[in-house]
Amino acid sequence: MARTPHRPMMGGLLLVLALTFMNASGAAESVRPFTLGSLEKVLGAREDKPFILVFWSLDCQYCPTELKMLSELKRSHPALDVVLIATDSVSDAPQLIARTESYGMNKAEQWVFAEDMPERLRFEIDRRWYGEVPRTYFYDRKHQREAKTGLVSKKFFEDWIARNAVTGSGH
């Protein structure tokens, strides 16, 4: 197969865009490009710790409701660790940052899909996931996970928080 000159340029462009949006504002410093292997970084930073992983998108109808609910839960449970991963693209970073700020979730760890083929990312995350959002994973201390697609009820979140003894501050 012939090598196209556009491929290296695309990678460089993504890197420039990622660096640009990461320096755009203070809140943006926590937004990272999510690539193959990023899930392992998220999990590795949370060994023996429960957390919630939320996949969302700017175009998602139910994501605002879920993210606002998580913001409220985080205020009453400061130790609740929530990681947000937008399935949009790196070029959407300014809108993603503004949206998470409006939901009250700008302090959560944030990532954005940054692969040419998002299908590869979804396959690495969960072979049973086809990209529908919101998609929420509840990881317990042993990193056994439970997946929920669509809007998750506040009661489910509260029950999970109680089962996983999320108390105190920080993560």
Side-chain angles (χ1 to χ4, degrees):
M1 183 156 113
R3 196 164 171 241
T4 64
H6 302 303
R7 190 51 118 178
M9 245 175 82
M10 179 57 96
L13 178 61
L14 281 176
L15 181 60
V16 169
L17 284 171
L19 293 173
T20 300
F21 83 76
M22 290 174 83
N23 292 320
S25 77
E29 288 176 2
S30 65
V31 179
R32 303 174 190 160
F34 192 85
T35 58
L36 292 173
S38 293
L39 180 61
E40 286 305 314
K41 292 176 185 172
V42 171
L43 295 172
R46 290 166 175 79
E47 279 189 43
D48 302 320
K49 296 177 187 171
F51 73 100
I52 299 172
L53 182 65
V54 180
F55 290 89
W56 72 286
S57 172
L58 292 168
D59 297 329
C60 169
Q61 178 180 355
Y62 299 107
C63 293
T65 303
E66 186 160 305
L67 292 175
K68 289 174 187 173
M69 183 182 356
L70 277 166
S71 178
E72 292 170 15
L73 289 167
K74 198 148 174 47
R75 277 196 298 276
S76 56
H77 302 279
L80 180 61
D81 187 8
V82 178
V83 178
L84 303 177
I85 302 175
T87 59
D88 301 284
S89 67
V90 171
S91 63
D92 294 317
Q95 295 92 337
L96 294 167
I97 293 162
R99 194 76 57 92
T100 56
E101 285 177 356
S102 73
Y103 299 152
M105 290 299 293
N106 53 310
K107 293 195 188 314
E109 182 175 316
Q110 297 180 57
W111 298 74
V112 61
F113 273 23
E115 284 285 334
D116 290 338
M117 295 181 63
E119 300 83 7
R120 290 175 56 201
L121 288 174
R122 290 194 309 263
F123 189 78
E124 182 178 80
I125 294 158
D126 184 345
R127 293 173 186 209
R128 295 181 175 182
W129 180 44
Y130 296 100
E132 58 280 10
V133 288
R135 176 79 167 180
T136 308
Y137 293 90
F138 296 85
Y139 284 85
D140 66 14
R141 291 187 192 291
K142 295 179 181 177
H143 285 188
Q144 299 297 310
R145 72 181 184 184
E146 183 173 353
K148 296 280 188 186
T149 300
L151 187 58
V152 178
S153 73
K154 187 171 184 176
K155 181 171 178 11
F156 185 90
F157 278 112
E158 289 171 340
D159 290 348
W160 182 86
I161 289 168
R163 278 195 318 272
N164 287 279
V166 176
T167 58
S169 62
H171 67 257

